Amino acid sequence: MNDFHPFGWYAAKISPHLPKKAFQPVRSRLLGGLAYLLVVTGGILAVSLFDFHPVWNLLISIVLGFSFAALGFLGHEILHGTVVKTPWLRDLLGALAFWPLCTGPKLWRKWHNATHHVHTQHEEKDPDAWPSMEQLAKSRLLRWVYRIPFPVRASFAFASLSVMFTVHSIRMLVLFWQDFRWKNRIVVLCQFLLPWTTWIGLLWLVGWEKWLFAFLLPLLVANMIVMGYISTNHRLNPLVPVNDPLANSLSVTVPKWVDVLHFHFSYHTEHHLFPAMSSKYYPLVKEQIKQMWPDRYHEMPMTKALAALWKTPRVYYEHNELIEPKQGHVYGTLGNGLDPDEIAPRRREEDAEASPATRKAKWKNASGAGKA
């Protein structure tokens, strides 16, 4: 799909069909946060104060991990201003919700709100986008990684989801550090260190064995759940020259009870169209998208999306395809020939290789910048 439109173009056409209350903060979401906070507090106290059998501790860890992830989803919503509008209260509640995931509100708003949402799936400007062939050629580390056989690399990539959100958060701290003024750097650093201080303090209080079940295993579970969504949000979509959510985003489907417990985080295309709207109303947005642009909208079951990720590489070729560099196998992306039900590569043709200047020109034409 080369007929791109910015998210505001879609939003302007959908907004008249939505109720006015959809554009107001939904404070009742905090009740869900309170419930999760009570579960987390009770679970940590149970593991710390009692000597349960490891099997029971493991079950508590899974519940804690699920709750850590759900609090992160709520924190994401809070920091978009869809729950409360008052800046200091938004940041305070967002910090509390993200506390288990050890991500501070100021860094998150810079990384996620101000950068990822503004430059979604842009080759150079989106900090969450995967590399292109040009970027691969410039990185010795990436070239080494992509020499590893594809099945081994895919297995490692899925296993790494259990730590990837935490690792990526630390990477974003380093990446955006210079963008903050000195006064704000102190705030960002404190927001990063305070959660880790409390969790390391818990380790000192309860010892390694109890800490494993009270925090470390739940953190791994939470990473896996959060990254299960994040890894499907855009990684099957093309890189794009225009921030078009119907081209660069994927909504996944999960059981309705999971949607409720995860604050409708699965509605990701809808979120990129209306980031300042509570996800409570995203089902209404989906109805309008599917009525107006049914051929452009991308959605699939979470399990199918994860399977498609397993079977495809994560390096972009010509922006709208994915390539396995070692074998030269090329795969389509959503809207560009990818069939999740029958994923099969094609062999890259030598005469299809274009210079970087040619690729940039194609991008300009696709965005309309090259038109008179």
Side-chain angles (χ1 to χ4, degrees), residues 331-350:
Y331 299 75
T333 55
L334 292 174
N336 297 277
L338 178 66
D339 180 0
D341 294 314
E342 191 174 345
I343 295 175
R346 66 172 177 83
R347 188 75 185 173
R348 181 179 61 172
E349 299 175 9
E350 292 302 320

Tab-separated table of all heavy atoms in Angstrom, residues 331-350:
chain	number	residue	atom	x	y	z
A	331	TYR	N	10.794	-11.827	2.474
A	331	TYR	CA	9.417	-12.069	2.900
A	331	TYR	C	8.633	-10.763	2.786
A	331	TYR	O	9.177	-9.670	2.982
A	331	TYR	CB	9.362	-12.540	4.358
A	331	TYR	CG	10.089	-13.830	4.638
A	331	TYR	CD1	11.486	-13.869	4.705
A	331	TYR	CD2	9.390	-15.009	4.870
A	331	TYR	CE1	12.159	-15.054	4.981
A	331	TYR	CE2	10.054	-16.191	5.148
A	331	TYR	CZ	11.434	-16.208	5.202
A	331	TYR	OH	12.099	-17.383	5.477
A	332	GLY	N	7.352	-10.865	2.520
A	332	GLY	CA	6.503	-9.689	2.490
A	332	GLY	C	6.213	-9.179	3.897
A	332	GLY	O	6.528	-9.823	4.906
A	333	THR	N	5.620	-7.995	3.969
A	333	THR	CA	5.109	-7.450	5.226
A	333	THR	C	3.596	-7.300	5.068
A	333	THR	O	3.044	-7.490	3.976
A	333	THR	CB	5.737	-6.078	5.541
A	333	THR	OG1	5.518	-5.192	4.425
A	333	THR	CG2	7.234	-6.212	5.799
A	334	LEU	N	2.907	-6.949	6.145
A	334	LEU	CA	1.460	-6.770	6.078
A	334	LEU	C	1.120	-5.656	5.091
A	334	LEU	O	1.666	-4.555	5.167
A	334	LEU	CB	0.907	-6.448	7.460
A	334	LEU	CG	0.972	-7.590	8.478
A	334	LEU	CD1	0.522	-7.113	9.858
A	334	LEU	CD2	0.128	-8.777	8.029
A	335	GLY	N	0.243	-5.969	4.165
A	335	GLY	CA	-0.094	-5.027	3.114
A	335	GLY	C	0.837	-5.100	1.926
A	335	GLY	O	0.623	-4.411	0.917
A	336	ASN	N	1.871	-5.927	2.046
A	336	ASN	CA	2.862	-6.053	0.973
A	336	ASN	C	3.211	-7.516	0.719
A	336	ASN	O	4.380	-7.893	0.627
A	336	ASN	CB	4.129	-5.266	1.323
A	336	ASN	CG	3.889	-3.784	1.442
A	336	ASN	OD1	3.871	-3.052	0.459
A	336	ASN	ND2	3.687	-3.321	2.670
A	337	GLY	N	2.172	-8.331	0.644
A	337	GLY	CA	2.354	-9.710	0.226
A	337	GLY	C	2.513	-10.743	1.318
A	337	GLY	O	2.611	-11.939	1.023
A	338	LEU	N	2.535	-10.342	2.594
A	338	LEU	CA	2.670	-11.327	3.671
A	338	LEU	C	1.332	-12.018	3.917
A	338	LEU	O	0.335	-11.364	4.234
A	338	LEU	CB	3.149	-10.655	4.960
A	338	LEU	CG	3.270	-11.587	6.172
A	338	LEU	CD1	4.358	-12.634	5.964
A	338	LEU	CD2	3.544	-10.795	7.455
A	339	ASP	N	1.315	-13.323	3.793
A	339	ASP	CA	0.132	-14.127	4.106
A	339	ASP	C	0.431	-14.918	5.375
A	339	ASP	O	1.184	-15.886	5.338
A	339	ASP	CB	-0.179	-15.082	2.957
A	339	ASP	CG	-1.418	-15.941	3.234
A	339	ASP	OD1	-2.019	-15.789	4.318
A	339	ASP	OD2	-1.775	-16.757	2.361
A	340	PRO	N	-0.116	-14.517	6.525
A	340	PRO	CA	0.191	-15.202	7.784
A	340	PRO	C	-0.156	-16.686	7.786
A	340	PRO	O	0.395	-17.448	8.569
A	340	PRO	CB	-0.660	-14.438	8.818
A	340	PRO	CG	-0.939	-13.121	8.191
A	340	PRO	CD	-1.042	-13.395	6.720
A	341	ASP	N	-1.077	-17.086	6.890
A	341	ASP	CA	-1.476	-18.490	6.839
A	341	ASP	C	-0.539	-19.340	5.995
A	341	ASP	O	-0.553	-20.562	6.091
A	341	ASP	CB	-2.906	-18.607	6.282
A	341	ASP	CG	-3.939	-18.001	7.212
A	341	ASP	OD1	-3.863	-18.280	8.424
A	341	ASP	OD2	-4.792	-17.240	6.732
A	342	GLU	N	0.238	-18.697	5.167
A	342	GLU	CA	1.151	-19.440	4.301
A	342	GLU	C	2.407	-18.594	4.048
A	342	GLU	O	2.541	-17.946	3.002
A	342	GLU	CB	0.474	-19.798	2.975
A	342	GLU	CG	1.261	-20.794	2.138
A	342	GLU	CD	0.504	-21.232	0.899
A	342	GLU	OE1	-0.721	-20.982	0.839
A	342	GLU	OE2	1.129	-21.816	0.012
A	343	ILE	N	3.290	-18.587	5.026
A	343	ILE	CA	4.490	-17.765	4.933
A	343	ILE	C	5.562	-18.511	4.147
A	343	ILE	O	5.998	-19.595	4.533
A	343	ILE	CB	5.014	-17.404	6.335
A	343	ILE	CG1	3.980	-16.525	7.055
A	343	ILE	CG2	6.349	-16.679	6.246
A	343	ILE	CD1	4.330	-16.197	8.476
A	344	ALA	N	5.958	-17.904	3.040
A	344	ALA	CA	6.988	-18.517	2.201
A	344	ALA	C	7.870	-17.413	1.638
A	344	ALA	O	7.359	-16.377	1.195
A	344	ALA	CB	6.352	-19.316	1.061
A	345	PRO	N	9.192	-17.619	1.645
A	345	PRO	CA	10.091	-16.585	1.119
A	345	PRO	C	10.251	-16.687	-0.385
A	345	PRO	O	9.939	-17.712	-0.999
A	345	PRO	CB	11.407	-16.902	1.818
A	345	PRO	CG	11.383	-18.396	1.960
A	345	PRO	CD	9.940	-18.749	2.212
A	346	ARG	N	10.731	-15.616	-0.960
A	346	ARG	CA	11.170	-15.654	-2.346
A	346	ARG	C	12.663	-15.359	-2.366
A	346	ARG	O	13.201	-14.775	-1.426
A	346	ARG	CB	10.423	-14.630	-3.192
A	346	ARG	CG	10.713	-13.170	-2.841
A	346	ARG	CD	10.090	-12.216	-3.839
A	346	ARG	NE	10.301	-10.820	-3.480
A	346	ARG	CZ	11.399	-10.130	-3.750
A	346	ARG	NH1	12.409	-10.719	-4.357
A	346	ARG	NH2	11.510	-8.867	-3.398
A	347	ARG	N	13.322	-15.741	-3.413
A	347	ARG	CA	14.743	-15.479	-3.552
A	347	ARG	C	14.949	-14.060	-4.061
A	347	ARG	O	14.284	-13.632	-5.004
A	347	ARG	CB	15.373	-16.474	-4.535
A	347	ARG	CG	16.881	-16.418	-4.610
A	347	ARG	CD	17.509	-17.059	-3.390
A	347	ARG	NE	18.963	-16.908	-3.415
A	347	ARG	CZ	19.768	-17.252	-2.428
A	347	ARG	NH1	19.263	-17.777	-1.336
A	347	ARG	NH2	21.063	-17.090	-2.521
A	348	ARG	N	15.832	-13.310	-3.421
A	348	ARG	CA	16.092	-11.953	-3.867
A	348	ARG	C	16.761	-11.978	-5.235
A	348	ARG	O	17.758	-12.657	-5.441
A	348	ARG	CB	17.002	-11.228	-2.868
A	348	ARG	CG	17.303	-9.788	-3.267
A	348	ARG	CD	18.178	-9.095	-2.263
A	348	ARG	NE	19.464	-9.754	-2.130
A	348	ARG	CZ	20.476	-9.253	-1.427
A	348	ARG	NH1	20.330	-8.120	-0.783
A	348	ARG	NH2	21.625	-9.902	-1.348
A	349	GLU	N	16.186	-11.226	-6.142
A	349	GLU	CA	16.767	-11.140	-7.475
A	349	GLU	C	17.841	-10.066	-7.491
A	349	GLU	O	17.654	-8.974	-6.971
A	349	GLU	CB	15.681	-10.806	-8.502
A	349	GLU	CG	14.576	-11.862	-8.580
A	349	GLU	CD	13.457	-11.442	-9.510
A	349	GLU	OE1	13.638	-10.423	-10.203
A	349	GLU	OE2	12.435	-12.133	-9.539
A	350	GLU	N	18.970	-10.372	-8.111
A	350	GLU	CA	20.091	-9.436	-8.116
A	350	GLU	C	19.710	-8.110	-8.764
A	350	GLU	O	20.118	-7.048	-8.317
A	350	GLU	CB	21.291	-10.053	-8.854
A	350	GLU	CG	21.906	-11.235	-8.128
A	350	GLU	CD	22.387	-10.876	-6.721
A	350	GLU	OE1	22.953	-9.775	-6.546
A	350	GLU	OE2	22.193	-11.686	-5.807
